[in-house]
PDB file of all heavy atoms in Angstrom:
ATOM      1  N   ILE A  32     -51.601   8.929  75.733  1.00 45.00           N
ATOM      2  CA  ILE A  32     -51.395   9.045  74.282  1.00 45.00           C
ATOM      3  C   ILE A  32     -51.111  10.487  73.903  1.00 45.00           C
ATOM      4  O   ILE A  32     -50.238  10.796  73.084  1.00 45.00           O
ATOM      5  CB  ILE A  32     -52.651   8.532  73.533  1.00 45.00           C
ATOM      6  CG1 ILE A  32     -52.800   7.034  73.765  1.00 45.00           C
ATOM      7  CG2 ILE A  32     -52.525   8.830  72.042  1.00 45.00           C
ATOM      8  CD1 ILE A  32     -54.056   6.452  73.146  1.00 45.00           C
ATOM      9  N   ALA A  64     -14.789  31.202  47.450  1.00 82.00           N
ATOM     10  CA  ALA A  64     -14.643  31.164  46.000  1.00 82.00           C
ATOM     11  C   ALA A  64     -13.987  29.862  45.541  1.00 82.00           C
ATOM     12  O   ALA A  64     -13.107  29.318  46.203  1.00 82.00           O
ATOM     13  CB  ALA A  64     -13.809  32.357  45.534  1.00 82.00           C
ATOM     14  N   PRO A  83       2.117  50.315  32.234  1.00 93.00           N
ATOM     15  CA  PRO A  83       2.938  51.133  31.337  1.00 93.00           C
ATOM     16  C   PRO A  83       4.418  51.129  31.732  1.00 93.00           C
ATOM     17  O   PRO A  83       4.754  51.184  32.917  1.00 93.00           O
ATOM     18  CB  PRO A  83       2.337  52.537  31.480  1.00 93.00           C
ATOM     19  CG  PRO A  83       0.910  52.275  31.858  1.00 93.00           C
ATOM     20  CD  PRO A  83       0.963  51.075  32.759  1.00 93.00           C
ATOM     21  N   TYR A  85       6.497  48.642  31.125  1.00 93.00           N
ATOM     22  CA  TYR A  85       7.001  47.275  31.295  1.00 93.00           C
ATOM     23  C   TYR A  85       6.625  46.414  30.092  1.00 93.00           C
ATOM     24  O   TYR A  85       5.546  46.566  29.513  1.00 93.00           O
ATOM     25  CB  TYR A  85       6.436  46.632  32.557  1.00 93.00           C
ATOM     26  CG  TYR A  85       7.001  47.210  33.838  1.00 93.00           C
ATOM     27  CD1 TYR A  85       6.424  48.340  34.417  1.00 93.00           C
ATOM     28  CD2 TYR A  85       8.122  46.650  34.446  1.00 93.00           C
ATOM     29  CE1 TYR A  85       6.947  48.890  35.581  1.00 93.00           C
ATOM     30  CE2 TYR A  85       8.642  47.193  35.612  1.00 93.00           C
ATOM     31  CZ  TYR A  85       8.060  48.309  36.169  1.00 93.00           C
ATOM     32  OH  TYR A  85       8.580  48.850  37.303  1.00 93.00           O
ATOM     33  N   ARG A  99      10.875  20.417  47.024  1.00 90.00           N
ATOM     34  CA  ARG A  99      10.656  20.035  48.410  1.00 90.00           C
ATOM     35  C   ARG A  99      11.671  20.698  49.320  1.00 90.00           C
ATOM     36  O   ARG A  99      12.841  20.871  48.950  1.00 90.00           O
ATOM     37  CB  ARG A  99      10.747  18.514  48.586  1.00 90.00           C
ATOM     38  CG  ARG A  99       9.591  17.763  47.930  1.00 90.00           C
ATOM     39  CD  ARG A  99       8.306  17.975  48.710  1.00 90.00           C
ATOM     40  NE  ARG A  99       7.162  17.322  48.083  1.00 90.00           N
ATOM     41  CZ  ARG A  99       6.338  17.915  47.244  1.00 90.00           C
ATOM     42  NH1 ARG A  99       6.559  19.183  46.902  1.00 90.00           N
ATOM     43  NH2 ARG A  99       5.311  17.282  46.720  1.00 90.00           N
ATOM     44  N   ALA A 101      13.799  20.493  52.879  1.00 90.00           N
ATOM     45  CA  ALA A 101      14.290  19.455  53.778  1.00 90.00           C
ATOM     46  C   ALA A 101      13.525  19.470  55.095  1.00 90.00           C
ATOM     47  O   ALA A 101      13.295  18.428  55.711  1.00 90.00           O
ATOM     48  CB  ALA A 101      15.785  19.643  54.020  1.00 90.00           C
ATOM     49  N   LYS A 102      13.113  20.675  55.515  1.00 92.00           N
ATOM     50  CA  LYS A 102      12.295  20.821  56.720  1.00 92.00           C
ATOM     51  C   LYS A 102      10.845  21.019  56.295  1.00 92.00           C
ATOM     52  O   LYS A 102      10.534  21.940  55.535  1.00 92.00           O
ATOM     53  CB  LYS A 102      12.757  22.033  57.539  1.00 92.00           C
ATOM     54  CG  LYS A 102      14.182  21.955  58.056  1.00 92.00           C
ATOM     55  CD  LYS A 102      14.532  23.233  58.801  1.00 92.00           C
ATOM     56  CE  LYS A 102      15.969  23.233  59.290  1.00 92.00           C
ATOM     57  NZ  LYS A 102      16.306  24.519  59.979  1.00 92.00           N
ATOM     58  N   ALA A 116       4.785  23.428  42.340  1.00 84.00           N
ATOM     59  CA  ALA A 116       4.874  22.282  43.242  1.00 84.00           C
ATOM     60  C   ALA A 116       3.599  22.055  44.044  1.00 84.00           C
ATOM     61  O   ALA A 116       3.381  20.972  44.582  1.00 84.00           O
ATOM     62  CB  ALA A 116       6.049  22.474  44.207  1.00 84.00           C
ATOM     63  N   ARG A 126       4.258  34.743  33.682  1.00 97.00           N
ATOM     64  CA  ARG A 126       4.536  35.946  32.908  1.00 97.00           C
ATOM     65  C   ARG A 126       5.931  36.462  33.258  1.00 97.00           C
ATOM     66  O   ARG A 126       6.360  36.413  34.411  1.00 97.00           O
ATOM     67  CB  ARG A 126       3.510  37.049  33.196  1.00 97.00           C
ATOM     68  CG  ARG A 126       2.075  36.703  32.844  1.00 97.00           C
ATOM     69  CD  ARG A 126       1.848  36.683  31.348  1.00 97.00           C
ATOM     70  NE  ARG A 126       0.445  36.465  31.015  1.00 97.00           N
ATOM     71  CZ  ARG A 126      -0.080  35.261  30.806  1.00 97.00           C
ATOM     72  NH1 ARG A 126       0.676  34.181  30.921  1.00 97.00           N
ATOM     73  NH2 ARG A 126      -1.364  35.138  30.471  1.00 97.00           N
ATOM     74  N   ILE A 145       3.815  34.345  38.653  1.00 97.00           N
ATOM     75  CA  ILE A 145       3.147  33.057  38.499  1.00 97.00           C
ATOM     76  C   ILE A 145       1.817  33.112  39.244  1.00 97.00           C
ATOM     77  O   ILE A 145       1.794  33.397  40.450  1.00 97.00           O
ATOM     78  CB  ILE A 145       3.993  31.891  39.044  1.00 97.00           C
ATOM     79  CG1 ILE A 145       5.303  31.769  38.268  1.00 97.00           C
ATOM     80  CG2 ILE A 145       3.210  30.580  38.927  1.00 97.00           C
ATOM     81  CD1 ILE A 145       6.188  30.626  38.723  1.00 97.00           C
ATOM     82  N   ALA A 149      -5.408  27.427  44.343  1.00 96.00           N
ATOM     83  CA  ALA A 149      -5.502  26.558  45.508  1.00 96.00           C
ATOM     84  C   ALA A 149      -6.822  25.794  45.364  1.00 96.00           C
ATOM     85  O   ALA A 149      -7.627  26.094  44.476  1.00 96.00           O
ATOM     86  CB  ALA A 149      -5.493  27.370  46.798  1.00 96.00           C
ATOM     87  N   THR A 167       9.023  33.035  59.532  1.00 95.00           N
ATOM     88  CA  THR A 167       9.505  33.243  60.902  1.00 95.00           C
ATOM     89  C   THR A 167      10.306  32.041  61.387  1.00 95.00           C
ATOM     90  O   THR A 167      11.378  32.183  61.990  1.00 95.00           O
ATOM     91  CB  THR A 167       8.313  33.469  61.853  1.00 95.00           C
ATOM     92  OG1 THR A 167       7.589  34.632  61.434  1.00 95.00           O
ATOM     93  CG2 THR A 167       8.800  33.672  63.285  1.00 95.00           C
ATOM     94  N   LYS A 182      19.703  22.676  46.850  1.00 83.00           N
ATOM     95  CA  LYS A 182      20.062  24.088  46.905  1.00 83.00           C
ATOM     96  C   LYS A 182      19.891  24.588  48.331  1.00 83.00           C
ATOM     97  O   LYS A 182      18.874  24.296  48.966  1.00 83.00           O
ATOM     98  CB  LYS A 182      19.189  24.909  45.953  1.00 83.00           C
ATOM     99  CG  LYS A 182      19.419  24.613  44.487  1.00 83.00           C
ATOM    100  CD  LYS A 182      18.574  25.525  43.624  1.00 83.00           C
ATOM    101  CE  LYS A 182      18.828  25.259  42.138  1.00 83.00           C
ATOM    102  NZ  LYS A 182      18.009  26.155  41.279  1.00 83.00           N
ATOM    103  N   GLU A 191       9.526  45.116  55.404  1.00 86.00           N
ATOM    104  CA  GLU A 191       8.538  46.143  55.712  1.00 86.00           C
ATOM    105  C   GLU A 191       7.901  46.548  54.385  1.00 86.00           C
ATOM    106  O   GLU A 191       8.594  46.783  53.399  1.00 86.00           O
ATOM    107  CB  GLU A 191       9.197  47.355  56.378  1.00 86.00           C
ATOM    108  CG  GLU A 191       9.714  47.077  57.776  1.00 86.00           C
ATOM    109  CD  GLU A 191      10.229  48.337  58.457  1.00 86.00           C
ATOM    110  OE1 GLU A 191      10.063  49.424  57.866  1.00 86.00           O
ATOM    111  OE2 GLU A 191      10.779  48.232  59.565  1.00 86.00           O
ATOM    112  N   GLN A 206      22.622  30.231  49.178  1.00 91.00           N
ATOM    113  CA  GLN A 206      23.990  30.086  49.655  1.00 91.00           C
ATOM    114  C   GLN A 206      24.988  30.661  48.642  1.00 91.00           C
ATOM    115  O   GLN A 206      26.064  31.140  49.004  1.00 91.00           O
ATOM    116  CB  GLN A 206      24.300  28.601  49.895  1.00 91.00           C
ATOM    117  CG  GLN A 206      25.625  28.338  50.593  1.00 91.00           C
ATOM    118  CD  GLN A 206      25.618  28.825  52.036  1.00 91.00           C
ATOM    119  OE1 GLN A 206      24.624  28.673  52.729  1.00 91.00           O
ATOM    120  NE2 GLN A 206      26.728  29.399  52.491  1.00 91.00           N
ATOM    121  N   VAL A 214       6.769  38.802  46.435  1.00 97.00           N
ATOM    122  CA  VAL A 214       5.500  39.272  46.978  1.00 97.00           C
ATOM    123  C   VAL A 214       4.455  38.216  46.630  1.00 97.00           C
ATOM    124  O   VAL A 214       4.377  37.766  45.479  1.00 97.00           O
ATOM    125  CB  VAL A 214       5.087  40.633  46.376  1.00 97.00           C
ATOM    126  CG1 VAL A 214       3.615  40.921  46.660  1.00 97.00           C
ATOM    127  CG2 VAL A 214       5.939  41.749  46.960  1.00 97.00           C
ATOM    128  N   GLU A 228      14.476  40.609  40.808  1.00 93.00           N
ATOM    129  CA  GLU A 228      15.929  40.527  41.010  1.00 93.00           C
ATOM    130  C   GLU A 228      16.627  41.354  39.939  1.00 93.00           C
ATOM    131  O   GLU A 228      16.147  41.468  38.811  1.00 93.00           O
ATOM    132  CB  GLU A 228      16.424  39.082  41.001  1.00 93.00           C
ATOM    133  CG  GLU A 228      16.163  38.298  39.743  1.00 93.00           C
ATOM    134  CD  GLU A 228      16.675  36.864  39.859  1.00 93.00           C
ATOM    135  OE1 GLU A 228      17.795  36.659  40.376  1.00 93.00           O
ATOM    136  OE2 GLU A 228      15.957  35.951  39.433  1.00 93.00           O
ATOM    137  N   GLN A 247      -3.509  42.461  41.441  1.00 94.00           N
ATOM    138  CA  GLN A 247      -4.512  42.177  42.458  1.00 94.00           C
ATOM    139  C   GLN A 247      -5.902  42.582  41.977  1.00 94.00           C
ATOM    140  O   GLN A 247      -6.870  41.854  42.202  1.00 94.00           O
ATOM    141  CB  GLN A 247      -4.150  42.894  43.756  1.00 94.00           C
ATOM    142  CG  GLN A 247      -4.992  42.433  44.952  1.00 94.00           C
ATOM    143  CD  GLN A 247      -4.406  42.911  46.271  1.00 94.00           C
ATOM    144  OE1 GLN A 247      -3.692  43.903  46.325  1.00 94.00           O
ATOM    145  NE2 GLN A 247      -4.707  42.205  47.341  1.00 94.00           N
TER     146      GLN A 247
END
Side-chain angles (χ1 to χ4, degrees):
I32 293 176
Y85 289 87
R99 291 288 177 266
K102 298 178 182 178
R126 298 288 185 268
I145 298 181
T167 299
K182 293 183 178 180
E191 291 186 6
Q206 189 68 40
V214 165
E228 60 181 317
Q247 191 167 25

